[in-house]
Coordinates of all heavy atoms in Angstrom, one line a residue:
M5 N 11.6 -16.5 30.3 CA 10.8 -17.5 29.6 C 9.6 -16.9 28.9 O 9.2 -17.3 27.8 CB 10.4 -18.6 30.6 CG 9.6 -19.8 30.0 SD 10.7 -20.7 28.9 CE 9.7 -22.0 28.5
K6 N 8.9 -16.0 29.6 CA 7.7 -15.4 29.1 C 8.0 -14.6 27.8 O 7.3 -14.7 26.8 CB 7.1 -14.5 30.1 CG 5.7 -13.9 29.7 CD 5.3 -12.9 30.7 CE 4.1 -13.3 31.4 NZ 3.6 -12.3 32.4
H7 N 9.1 -13.9 27.8 CA 9.5 -13.1 26.6 C 9.9 -14.0 25.4 O 9.6 -13.7 24.3 CB 10.7 -12.2 26.9 CG 10.3 -11.1 28.0 ND1 9.5 -10.1 27.6 CD2 10.6 -11.0 29.3 CE1 9.3 -9.3 28.7 NE2 10.0 -9.9 29.7
F8 N 10.5 -15.1 25.8 CA 10.9 -16.1 24.7 C 9.6 -16.6 24.0 O 9.6 -16.7 22.8 CB 11.7 -17.3 25.3 CG 12.0 -18.3 24.3 CD1 12.9 -18.1 23.3 CD2 11.3 -19.5 24.3 CE1 13.1 -19.1 22.3 CE2 11.5 -20.5 23.4 CZ 12.5 -20.3 22.4
L9 N 8.6 -17.0 24.8 CA 7.3 -17.5 24.2 C 6.6 -16.4 23.4 O 6.1 -16.7 22.3 CB 6.4 -18.0 25.3 CG 6.9 -19.2 26.0 CD1 5.9 -19.6 27.2 CD2 7.0 -20.4 25.1
I10 N 6.6 -15.2 23.8 CA 6.0 -14.1 23.0 C 6.8 -14.0 21.7 O 6.2 -13.8 20.7 CB 6.0 -12.8 23.8 CG1 5.0 -12.9 25.0 CG2 5.6 -11.6 22.9 CD1 5.1 -11.8 26.0
A11 N 8.1 -14.0 21.8 CA 8.9 -13.8 20.6 C 8.7 -15.0 19.6 O 8.6 -14.8 18.4 CB 10.4 -13.7 20.9
L12 N 8.6 -16.2 20.2 CA 8.3 -17.4 19.4 C 7.0 -17.3 18.7 O 6.8 -17.7 17.5 CB 8.4 -18.6 20.3 CG 8.4 -20.0 19.6 CD1 9.5 -20.1 18.6 CD2 8.4 -21.1 20.6
F13 N 6.0 -16.8 19.4 CA 4.7 -16.6 18.9 C 4.6 -15.6 17.7 O 3.9 -15.8 16.7 CB 3.7 -16.3 20.0 CG 2.3 -16.0 19.5 CD1 1.5 -17.1 19.1 CD2 1.8 -14.7 19.4 CE1 0.2 -16.9 18.7 CE2 0.5 -14.5 19.0 CZ -0.3 -15.6 18.6
L14 N 5.3 -14.5 17.9 CA 5.3 -13.4 16.9 C 6.2 -13.6 15.7 O 6.0 -13.0 14.7 CB 5.7 -12.1 17.6 CG 4.7 -11.5 18.6 CD1 5.2 -10.3 19.3 CD2 3.3 -11.3 18.0
A15 N 7.2 -14.5 15.8 CA 8.2 -14.6 14.8 C 7.5 -15.0 13.4 O 7.9 -14.4 12.4 CB 9.2 -15.7 15.2
P16 N 6.6 -16.0 13.4 CA 6.0 -16.3 12.1 C 5.3 -15.1 11.4 O 5.4 -14.9 10.2 CB 5.0 -17.4 12.4 CG 5.5 -18.0 13.6 CD 6.1 -16.9 14.4
S17 N 4.6 -14.3 12.2 CA 3.9 -13.2 11.6 C 4.9 -12.1 11.1 O 4.6 -11.5 10.1 CB 2.9 -12.5 12.6 OG 3.6 -12.0 13.7
I18 N 6.0 -11.9 11.8 CA 7.0 -11.0 11.3 C 7.6 -11.5 10.0 O 7.8 -10.7 9.1 CB 8.1 -10.8 12.4 CG1 7.5 -10.1 13.6 CG2 9.3 -10.0 11.9 CD1 8.4 -10.0 14.8
V19 N 7.9 -12.7 9.9 CA 8.5 -13.3 8.7 C 7.5 -13.2 7.6 O 7.8 -12.8 6.5 CB 8.9 -14.8 8.9 CG1 9.3 -15.4 7.6 CG2 10.1 -14.8 9.9
F20 N 6.2 -13.5 7.9 CA 5.2 -13.4 6.8 C 5.1 -11.9 6.3 O 5.0 -11.7 5.1 CB 3.8 -13.9 7.4 CG 2.7 -13.7 6.4 CD1 2.6 -14.5 5.3 CD2 1.8 -12.6 6.6 CE1 1.6 -14.3 4.4 CE2 0.8 -12.4 5.7 CZ 0.7 -13.3 4.6
A21 N 5.1 -11.0 7.2 CA 5.0 -9.6 6.8 C 6.2 -9.2 6.0 O 6.0 -8.5 5.0 CB 4.8 -8.7 8.1
Q22 N 7.3 -9.6 6.4 CA 8.5 -9.3 5.6 C 8.5 -9.9 4.2 O 8.8 -9.3 3.2 CB 9.8 -9.7 6.4 CG 11.1 -9.3 5.7 CD 12.3 -9.7 6.4 OE1 12.2 -10.4 7.5 NE2 13.4 -9.4 6.0
S23 N 8.1 -11.2 4.1 CA 8.0 -11.8 2.8 C 7.0 -11.2 1.9 O 7.1 -11.1 0.7 CB 7.8 -13.3 3.0 OG 6.5 -13.6 3.5
T24 N 5.9 -10.8 2.6 CA 4.8 -10.1 1.8 C 5.3 -8.8 1.3 O 5.0 -8.4 0.1 CB 3.6 -9.9 2.7 OG1 3.1 -11.1 3.2 CG2 2.5 -9.2 2.0
T25 N 6.0 -8.0 2.1 CA 6.6 -6.8 1.6 C 7.6 -7.0 0.5 O 7.5 -6.2 -0.5 CB 7.3 -6.1 2.8 OG1 6.3 -5.9 3.9 CG2 7.9 -4.7 2.4
E26 N 8.4 -8.0 0.6 CA 9.4 -8.3 -0.5 C 8.7 -8.7 -1.7 O 9.0 -8.2 -2.8 CB 10.3 -9.4 0.0 CG 11.3 -8.9 1.1 CD 12.1 -10.1 1.6 OE1 12.0 -11.2 1.1 OE2 12.8 -9.9 2.6
E27 N 7.6 -9.5 -1.6 CA 6.8 -9.9 -2.8 C 6.2 -8.7 -3.4 O 6.3 -8.5 -4.7 CB 5.8 -10.9 -2.3 CG 4.9 -11.4 -3.5 CD 3.8 -12.4 -3.0 OE1 3.5 -12.3 -1.8 OE2 3.4 -13.1 -3.8
F28 N 5.6 -7.8 -2.6 CA 5.0 -6.6 -3.2 C 6.0 -5.7 -3.9 O 5.8 -5.3 -5.0 CB 4.3 -5.8 -2.0 CG 3.9 -4.4 -2.4 CD1 2.7 -4.3 -3.1 CD2 4.6 -3.3 -2.2 CE1 2.3 -3.0 -3.5 CE2 4.2 -2.0 -2.6 CZ 3.0 -1.9 -3.3
E29 N 7.1 -5.5 -3.3 CA 8.2 -4.6 -3.9 C 8.7 -5.2 -5.2 O 9.0 -4.5 -6.1 CB 9.3 -4.4 -2.9 CG 8.9 -3.5 -1.7 CD 9.9 -3.3 -0.6 OE1 10.9 -4.0 -0.7 OE2 9.6 -2.5 0.3
N30 N 8.8 -6.6 -5.2 CA 9.3 -7.2 -6.4 C 8.3 -7.0 -7.5 O 8.7 -6.7 -8.7 CB 9.5 -8.7 -6.1 CG 10.1 -9.4 -7.3 OD1 11.0 -8.9 -7.9 ND2 9.6 -10.6 -7.6
F31 N 7.0 -7.1 -7.3 CA 6.0 -6.8 -8.3 C 6.1 -5.4 -8.8 O 6.0 -5.2 -10.0 CB 4.6 -7.1 -7.8 CG 4.3 -8.6 -7.7 CD1 3.6 -9.1 -6.6 CD2 4.6 -9.5 -8.7 CE1 3.3 -10.4 -6.4 CE2 4.3 -10.8 -8.6 CZ 3.6 -11.3 -7.5
I32 N 6.3 -4.5 -7.9 CA 6.4 -3.1 -8.3 C 7.6 -2.8 -9.2 O 7.5 -2.2 -10.2 CB 6.5 -2.1 -7.0 CG1 5.1 -2.2 -6.3 CG2 6.8 -0.7 -7.4 CD1 4.0 -1.6 -7.0
R33 N 8.8 -3.4 -8.8 CA 10.0 -3.3 -9.6 C 9.8 -3.8 -11.0 O 10.4 -3.3 -11.9 CB 11.1 -4.0 -8.9 CG 11.9 -3.2 -7.9 CD 13.2 -3.9 -7.6 NE 13.0 -5.2 -7.0 CZ 12.8 -5.4 -5.7 NH1 12.6 -4.4 -4.9 NH2 12.6 -6.6 -5.2
N34 N 9.0 -4.9 -11.1 CA 8.8 -5.5 -12.4 C 7.5 -5.0 -13.1 O 7.0 -5.6 -14.1 CB 8.7 -7.0 -12.2 CG 10.1 -7.6 -11.8 OD1 11.1 -7.3 -12.4 ND2 10.1 -8.3 -10.7
Y35 N 7.0 -3.9 -12.6 CA 5.8 -3.3 -13.3 C 4.6 -4.2 -13.3 O 3.8 -4.1 -14.2 CB 6.1 -2.7 -14.7 CG 7.3 -1.7 -14.7 CD1 8.6 -2.1 -15.0 CD2 7.0 -0.4 -14.3 CE1 9.6 -1.2 -14.9 CE2 8.1 0.5 -14.3 CZ 9.3 0.1 -14.6 OH 10.4 1.0 -14.6
Q36 N 4.4 -5.1 -12.3 CA 3.3 -6.0 -12.3 C 2.3 -5.4 -11.2 O 2.2 -6.0 -10.1 CB 3.8 -7.4 -11.9 CG 4.7 -8.0 -12.9 CD 5.2 -9.3 -12.5 OE1 5.0 -9.8 -11.4 NE2 5.9 -10.0 -13.4
F37 N 1.7 -4.3 -11.5 CA 0.9 -3.6 -10.6 C -0.4 -4.4 -10.2 O -0.8 -4.2 -9.0 CB 0.5 -2.2 -11.1 CG 1.8 -1.4 -11.4 CD1 2.2 -1.2 -12.7 CD2 2.6 -1.0 -10.4 CE1 3.3 -0.4 -13.0 CE2 3.7 -0.3 -10.6 CZ 4.1 0.0 -11.9
E38 N -1.0 -5.1 -11.1 CA -2.1 -5.9 -10.7 C -1.8 -7.0 -9.7 O -2.5 -7.2 -8.7 CB -2.8 -6.6 -12.0 CG -3.4 -5.5 -12.9 CD -3.8 -6.1 -14.2 OE1 -3.4 -7.2 -14.6 OE2 -4.4 -5.3 -15.0
N39 N -0.6 -7.6 -9.8 CA -0.2 -8.6 -8.8 C 0.1 -7.9 -7.5 O -0.2 -8.5 -6.4 CB 1.0 -9.4 -9.3 CG 0.7 -10.3 -10.5 OD1 -0.4 -10.8 -10.6 ND2 1.7 -10.5 -11.3
A40 N 0.7 -6.8 -7.6 CA 1.0 -6.0 -6.3 C -0.3 -5.7 -5.6 O -0.4 -5.7 -4.4 CB 1.8 -4.7 -6.7
L41 N -1.3 -5.3 -6.3 CA -2.6 -5.0 -5.7 C -3.2 -6.2 -5.0 O -3.8 -6.1 -4.0 CB -3.6 -4.5 -6.8 CG -3.4 -3.0 -7.2 CD1 -4.3 -2.7 -8.4 CD2 -3.7 -2.1 -6.0
R42 N -3.0 -7.4 -5.6 CA -3.5 -8.6 -5.0 C -2.9 -8.9 -3.7 O -3.5 -9.2 -2.7 CB -3.3 -9.8 -5.9 CG -4.4 -9.9 -6.9 CD -4.4 -11.3 -7.7 NE -4.7 -11.0 -9.0 CZ -3.8 -11.0 -10.0 NH1 -2.5 -11.3 -9.8 NH2 -4.1 -10.6 -11.2
V43 N -1.6 -8.6 -3.6 CA -0.8 -8.8 -2.4 C -1.3 -7.8 -1.3 O -1.6 -8.2 -0.2 CB 0.7 -8.6 -2.6 CG1 1.5 -8.6 -1.3 CG2 1.2 -9.7 -3.5
L44 N -1.5 -6.5 -1.7 CA -2.0 -5.5 -0.8 C -3.4 -5.9 -0.3 O -3.7 -5.7 0.9 CB -2.0 -4.2 -1.5 CG -0.7 -3.5 -1.7 CD1 -0.9 -2.1 -2.4 CD2 -0.1 -3.2 -0.3
Q45 N -4.3 -6.3 -1.2 CA -5.6 -6.6 -0.8 C -5.8 -7.7 0.2 O -6.7 -7.8 1.0 CB -6.5 -6.8 -2.0 CG -6.7 -5.5 -2.8 CD -7.3 -5.7 -4.2 OE1 -7.4 -6.8 -4.7 NE2 -7.6 -4.5 -4.8
N46 N -4.8 -8.7 0.1 CA -4.8 -9.8 1.1 C -4.3 -9.4 2.5 O -4.5 -10.1 3.4 CB -3.9 -10.9 0.5 CG -4.6 -11.6 -0.6 OD1 -5.8 -11.6 -0.8 ND2 -3.7 -12.2 -1.5
N47 N -3.6 -8.2 2.6 CA -3.1 -7.8 3.8 C -3.5 -6.4 4.1 O -2.7 -5.6 4.7 CB -1.5 -7.9 3.7 CG -1.1 -9.3 3.4 OD1 -1.1 -10.1 4.3 ND2 -0.6 -9.5 2.2
Y48 N -4.7 -6.0 3.8 CA -5.1 -4.6 3.9 C -5.5 -4.2 5.3 O -6.1 -4.9 6.0 CB -6.3 -4.4 3.0 CG -6.4 -3.0 2.5 CD1 -5.5 -2.4 1.6 CD2 -7.4 -2.1 3.1 CE1 -5.6 -1.1 1.2 CE2 -7.5 -0.8 2.7 CZ -6.6 -0.3 1.8 OH -6.7 1.0 1.4
D49 N -5.0 -3.0 5.6 CA -5.3 -2.4 6.9 C -5.7 -0.9 6.6 O -4.9 -0.1 6.2 CB -4.1 -2.4 7.8 CG -4.2 -1.8 9.1 OD1 -5.4 -1.3 9.5 OD2 -3.2 -1.6 9.9
T50 N -6.9 -0.6 6.9 CA -7.5 0.8 6.6 C -6.8 1.9 7.4 O -6.9 3.0 7.0 CB -9.0 0.8 6.8 OG1 -9.3 0.5 8.1 CG2 -9.7 -0.1 5.8
L51 N -6.1 1.5 8.5 CA -5.4 2.6 9.3 C -4.0 2.8 8.9 O -3.3 3.6 9.4 CB -5.6 2.3 10.7 CG -7.0 2.3 11.3 CD1 -7.0 1.9 12.8 CD2 -7.7 3.6 11.1
N52 N -3.5 2.0 7.9 CA -2.1 2.0 7.5 C -2.0 2.9 6.3 O -2.4 2.5 5.2 CB -1.6 0.6 7.2 CG -0.1 0.6 6.9 OD1 0.4 1.6 6.4 ND2 0.5 -0.5 7.3
I53 N -1.6 4.2 6.5 CA -1.5 5.1 5.4 C -0.6 4.7 4.3 O -0.9 4.8 3.1 CB -1.0 6.5 5.9 CG1 -2.1 7.1 6.8 CG2 -0.7 7.5 4.8 CD1 -1.6 8.3 7.6
A54 N 0.5 4.0 4.6 CA 1.5 3.6 3.6 C 0.9 2.6 2.7 O 1.1 2.6 1.4 CB 2.7 3.0 4.3
L55 N 0.1 1.7 3.2 CA -0.6 0.7 2.3 C -1.6 1.3 1.4 O -1.7 1.0 0.2 CB -1.3 -0.4 3.2 CG -0.5 -1.4 3.9 CD1 -1.3 -2.3 4.7 CD2 0.4 -2.1 3.0
Q56 N -2.3 2.3 1.9 CA -3.3 3.0 1.1 C -2.6 3.8 0.0 O -3.0 3.9 -1.2 CB -4.1 4.0 1.9 CG -5.1 3.2 2.8 CD -6.0 4.1 3.6 OE1 -6.3 5.2 3.1 NE2 -6.5 3.6 4.7
Q57 N -1.4 4.4 0.3 CA -0.6 5.1 -0.7 C -0.1 4.2 -1.8 O -0.1 4.5 -2.9 CB 0.5 5.9 0.0 CG 0.0 7.1 0.8 CD 1.1 7.7 1.6 OE1 2.2 7.1 1.8 NE2 0.9 8.9 2.0
Q58 N 0.4 3.0 -1.3 CA 0.9 2.0 -2.3 C -0.2 1.5 -3.2 O 0.0 1.4 -4.4 CB 1.5 0.9 -1.5 CG 2.8 1.2 -0.8 CD 3.3 0.2 0.1 OE1 2.5 -0.7 0.6 NE2 4.6 0.2 0.4
E59 N -1.4 1.3 -2.6 CA -2.5 0.9 -3.5 C -2.8 2.0 -4.5 O -3.1 1.8 -5.7 CB -3.7 0.6 -2.6 CG -4.9 0.1 -3.4 CD -6.1 -0.2 -2.5 OE1 -6.2 0.5 -1.4 OE2 -6.9 -1.0 -2.9
G60 N -2.9 3.3 -4.0 CA -3.1 4.4 -4.9 C -2.1 4.5 -6.0 O -2.4 4.8 -7.2
Y61 N -0.8 4.2 -5.7 CA 0.2 4.3 -6.7 C 0.0 3.2 -7.8 O 0.2 3.5 -9.0 CB 1.6 4.1 -6.0 CG 2.7 4.0 -7.0 CD1 3.2 5.1 -7.6 CD2 3.3 2.7 -7.3 CE1 4.3 5.0 -8.5 CE2 4.4 2.6 -8.2 CZ 4.8 3.8 -8.8 OH 5.9 3.7 -9.7
C62 N -0.4 2.0 -7.3 CA -0.6 0.9 -8.3 C -1.8 1.3 -9.2 O -1.7 1.1 -10.4 CB -1.0 -0.4 -7.6 SG 0.5 -1.1 -6.7
Y63 N -2.9 1.8 -8.7 CA -4.0 2.2 -9.5 C -3.6 3.4 -10.4 O -4.0 3.4 -11.6 CB -5.2 2.6 -8.7 CG -6.0 1.4 -8.1 CD1 -6.1 1.3 -6.8 CD2 -6.5 0.5 -9.0 CE1 -6.8 0.2 -6.3 CE2 -7.2 -0.6 -8.5 CZ -7.4 -0.7 -7.1 OH -8.1 -1.8 -6.6
F64 N -2.8 4.3 -9.9 CA -2.3 5.4 -10.8 C -1.5 4.8 -12.0 O -1.7 5.2 -13.1 CB -1.4 6.3 -10.0 CG -0.6 7.3 -10.8 CD1 -1.2 8.3 -11.4 CD2 0.8 7.1 -11.0 CE1 -0.5 9.2 -12.2 CE2 1.5 7.9 -11.7 CZ 0.9 9.0 -12.3
R65 N -0.6 3.9 -11.7 CA 0.2 3.3 -12.8 C -0.6 2.5 -13.8 O -0.3 2.4 -14.9 CB 1.3 2.5 -12.2 CG 2.4 3.2 -11.4 CD 3.1 4.3 -12.3 NE 3.7 3.7 -13.5 CZ 5.0 3.5 -13.6 NH1 5.9 3.8 -12.7 NH2 5.5 3.0 -14.7
L66 N -1.7 2.0 -13.3 CA -2.6 1.2 -14.2 C -3.6 2.1 -14.9 O -4.3 1.7 -15.8 CB -3.4 0.2 -13.4 CG -2.6 -1.0 -12.8 CD1 -3.5 -1.8 -11.8 CD2 -2.1 -1.9 -14.0
G67 N -3.5 3.4 -14.6 CA -4.4 4.4 -15.3 C -5.8 4.5 -14.7 O -6.6 5.2 -15.3
N68 N -6.0 3.9 -13.6 CA -7.3 4.0 -12.9 C -7.2 5.2 -11.9 O -7.1 4.9 -10.7 CB -7.7 2.7 -12.2 CG -9.1 2.6 -11.8 OD1 -9.7 3.7 -11.6 ND2 -9.6 1.4 -11.5
Y69 N -7.4 6.4 -12.4 CA -7.2 7.6 -11.6 C -8.3 7.7 -10.5 O -8.0 8.2 -9.4 CB -7.1 8.8 -12.4 CG -6.0 8.8 -13.4 CD1 -6.1 9.4 -14.7 CD2 -4.8 8.3 -13.0 CE1 -5.0 9.4 -15.5 CE2 -3.7 8.3 -13.9 CZ -3.8 8.8 -15.2 OH -2.8 8.8 -16.0
K70 N -9.5 7.3 -10.9 CA -10.6 7.4 -9.9 C -10.3 6.5 -8.6 O -10.5 7.0 -7.5 CB -11.9 6.9 -10.6 CG -13.1 7.1 -9.7 CD -14.4 6.7 -10.5 CE -15.6 7.0 -9.6 NZ -16.9 6.7 -10.3
K71 N -9.9 5.3 -8.8 CA -9.5 4.4 -7.7 C -8.3 5.0 -6.9 O -8.3 4.9 -5.7 CB -9.3 3.0 -8.2 CG -10.5 2.2 -8.6 CD -11.3 1.9 -7.4 CE -10.8 0.6 -6.7 NZ -11.7 0.1 -5.7
A72 N -7.4 5.5 -7.7 CA -6.2 6.1 -7.0 C -6.6 7.2 -6.1 O -6.1 7.3 -5.0 CB -5.2 6.5 -8.1
I73 N -7.5 8.1 -6.6 CA -8.0 9.2 -5.8 C -8.6 8.7 -4.5 O -8.4 9.2 -3.4 CB -8.9 10.1 -6.6 CG1 -8.1 10.9 -7.7 CG2 -9.7 11.0 -5.8 CD1 -8.9 11.6 -8.7
Q74 N -9.5 7.7 -4.7 CA -10.1 7.1 -3.5 C -9.1 6.6 -2.5 O -9.3 6.8 -1.3 CB -11.1 6.0 -3.9 CG -12.3 6.4 -4.7 CD -13.1 5.2 -5.2 OE1 -12.6 4.1 -5.2 NE2 -14.2 5.5 -5.8
C75 N -8.0 6.0 -2.9 CA -7.0 5.5 -2.0 C -6.3 6.6 -1.2 O -6.2 6.6 0.0 CB -6.0 4.7 -2.7 SG -6.6 3.2 -3.5
Y76 N -5.9 7.7 -2.0 CA -5.3 8.8 -1.3 C -6.2 9.6 -0.4 O -5.8 10.0 0.7 CB -4.6 9.7 -2.3 CG -3.4 9.1 -3.0 CD1 -3.4 8.7 -4.3 CD2 -2.3 8.8 -2.2 CE1 -2.3 8.2 -4.9 CE2 -1.2 8.2 -2.8 CZ -1.2 7.9 -4.1 OH -0.1 7.3 -4.7
E77 N -7.5 9.6 -0.8 CA -8.5 10.3 0.1 C -8.7 9.4 1.4 O -8.9 10.0 2.4 CB -9.8 10.5 -0.6 CG -9.8 11.6 -1.7 CD -11.0 11.7 -2.5 OE1 -11.9 10.8 -2.5 OE2 -11.2 12.8 -3.1
G78 N -8.6 8.1 1.2 CA -8.7 7.2 2.4 C -7.5 7.5 3.3 O -7.7 7.5 4.6
A79 N -6.4 7.7 2.8 CA -5.2 7.9 3.6 C -5.4 9.3 4.4 O -5.0 9.4 5.5 CB -3.9 8.0 2.8
L80 N -6.0 10.2 3.7 CA -6.2 11.5 4.3 C -7.2 11.5 5.4 O -7.2 12.3 6.3 CB -6.5 12.6 3.3 CG -5.4 13.0 2.4 CD1 -5.9 13.9 1.3 CD2 -4.3 13.7 3.2
K81 N -8.1 10.5 5.4 CA -9.1 10.3 6.5 C -8.4 9.9 7.7 O -8.8 10.2 8.8 CB -10.1 9.3 6.1 CG -11.1 9.8 5.1 CD -12.2 8.8 4.7 CE -13.1 9.3 3.6 NZ -14.0 8.3 3.1
V82 N -7.3 9.2 7.6 CA -6.5 8.8 8.8 C -5.6 9.9 9.2 O -5.5 10.2 10.4 CB -5.6 7.5 8.4 CG1 -4.7 7.1 9.6 CG2 -6.5 6.4 8.0
D83 N -5.0 10.6 8.3 CA -4.1 11.7 8.6 C -4.3 12.8 7.6 O -3.7 12.8 6.5 CB -2.6 11.3 8.7 CG -1.7 12.4 9.0 OD1 -2.1 13.6 9.3 OD2 -0.4 12.2 9.0
S84 N -5.0 13.8 8.0 CA -5.4 14.9 7.0 C -4.3 15.8 6.6 O -4.4 16.6 5.7 CB -6.6 15.7 7.6 OG -6.2 16.4 8.7
T85 N -3.1 15.7 7.3 CA -2.0 16.5 7.0 C -0.9 15.8 6.3 O 0.2 16.3 6.1 CB -1.4 17.1 8.3 OG1 -0.9 16.0 9.1 CG2 -2.4 17.9 9.0
D86 N -1.1 14.6 5.8 CA -0.1 13.8 5.1 C 0.3 14.4 3.8 O -0.6 14.5 2.9 CB -0.6 12.3 4.9 CG 0.4 11.5 4.3 OD1 1.5 11.3 4.9 OD2 0.2 11.0 3.1
R87 N 1.5 14.8 3.7 CA 1.9 15.6 2.5 C 2.0 14.7 1.3 O 1.7 15.2 0.2 CB 3.3 16.2 2.8 CG 3.3 17.3 3.8 CD 4.7 17.9 4.0 NE 4.6 18.9 5.1 CZ 5.7 19.5 5.4 NH1 6.8 19.3 4.9 NH2 5.5 20.4 6.4
T88 N 2.4 13.5 1.4 CA 2.5 12.6 0.2 C 1.1 12.5 -0.4 O 1.0 12.6 -1.6 CB 3.1 11.3 0.6 OG1 4.4 11.5 1.1 CG2 3.2 10.4 -0.6
S89 N 0.1 12.2 0.4 CA -1.2 12.0 -0.1 C -1.8 13.2 -0.7 O -2.4 13.2 -1.8 CB -2.2 11.5 1.0 OG -1.7 10.2 1.5
L90 N -1.5 14.4 -0.1 CA -2.0 15.6 -0.6 C -1.4 15.9 -1.9 O -2.0 16.4 -2.9 CB -1.7 16.8 0.4 CG -2.6 16.8 1.7 CD1 -2.0 17.7 2.7 CD2 -4.0 17.1 1.4
N91 N -0.1 15.7 -2.0 CA 0.7 16.0 -3.3 C 0.1 15.0 -4.4 O -0.1 15.5 -5.5 CB 2.1 15.7 -3.1 CG 3.0 16.1 -4.3 OD1 2.5 16.9 -5.1 ND2 4.1 15.5 -4.4
Q92 N 0.0 13.8 -4.1 CA -0.5 12.8 -5.1 C -1.9 13.2 -5.6 O -2.2 13.1 -6.7 CB -0.4 11.4 -4.6 CG 1.0 10.9 -4.3 CD 1.8 10.8 -5.6 OE1 1.6 11.4 -6.6 NE2 2.9 10.0 -5.5
L93 N -2.8 13.6 -4.6 CA -4.1 14.0 -5.0 C -4.1 15.2 -5.9 O -4.9 15.2 -6.9 CB -4.9 14.3 -3.7 CG -5.7 13.1 -3.1 CD1 -6.4 13.6 -1.8 CD2 -6.7 12.5 -4.1
G94 N -3.3 16.1 -5.6 CA -3.2 17.3 -6.5 C -2.8 16.9 -7.9 O -3.4 17.4 -8.9
Q95 N -1.8 16.0 -8.1 CA -1.4 15.5 -9.4 C -2.5 14.7 -10.1 O -2.7 14.9 -11.3 CB -0.2 14.6 -9.3 CG 1.1 15.4 -8.8 CD 2.3 14.6 -8.8 OE1 2.4 13.5 -9.4 NE2 3.3 15.0 -8.0
L96 N -3.2 13.9 -9.3 CA -4.3 13.2 -9.9 C -5.5 14.0 -10.3 O -6.1 13.8 -11.4 CB -4.8 12.1 -8.9 CG -3.9 10.9 -8.8 CD1 -4.2 10.1 -7.5 CD2 -4.0 10.0 -10.0
Y97 N -5.8 15.0 -9.5 CA -6.9 15.9 -9.9 C -6.5 16.7 -11.2 O -7.4 16.9 -12.0 CB -7.2 17.0 -8.7 CG -7.9 16.4 -7.5 CD1 -7.6 16.9 -6.3 CD2 -8.8 15.3 -7.6 CE1 -8.2 16.4 -5.1 CE2 -9.4 14.8 -6.5 CZ -9.1 15.3 -5.3 OH -9.7 14.9 -4.1
A98 N -5.3 17.1 -11.3 CA -4.8 17.8 -12.5 C -5.0 16.9 -13.7 O -5.3 17.3 -14.8 CB -3.4 18.2 -12.3
R99 N -4.6 15.6 -13.6 CA -4.7 14.7 -14.7 C -6.2 14.3 -15.0 O -6.5 14.0 -16.2 CB -4.0 13.4 -14.4 CG -2.5 13.5 -14.4 CD -1.9 12.2 -14.1 NE -0.4 12.3 -14.0 CZ 0.4 11.9 -14.9 NH1 -0.1 11.2 -16.0 NH2 1.7 12.0 -14.8
N100 N -7.0 14.3 -14.0 CA -8.4 13.8 -14.2 C -9.3 14.8 -14.8 O -10.4 14.5 -15.2 CB -8.9 13.4 -12.8 CG -9.9 12.3 -12.9 OD1 -9.9 11.5 -13.9 ND2 -10.8 12.1 -11.9
N101 N -8.8 16.1 -14.9 CA -9.7 17.2 -15.5 C -9.4 17.3 -16.9 O -8.7 17.0 -17.7 CB -9.4 18.5 -14.8 CG -10.0 18.5 -13.4 OD1 -11.0 17.8 -13.2 ND2 -9.5 19.2 -12.5

């Protein structure tokens, strides 16, 4: 019974997270990066590297390289060995010069 109550309590948040992810991915597929950023900002977690990378990607696609760099640098503060963030930063630094 205790496990059932816990599952019942967590179910709405899991569904919300899944629908938010689907909404975000739909915006990305349709090149609606500003809308995708709004979804991310409503569900932002500074310890989630993937969210910071997704935010950086949106800013990159919008041409805001300075904000994209800040996002990838934020991801590296959580995990300084993250290859994706390091690679994206290298590309952004090359474009920004």
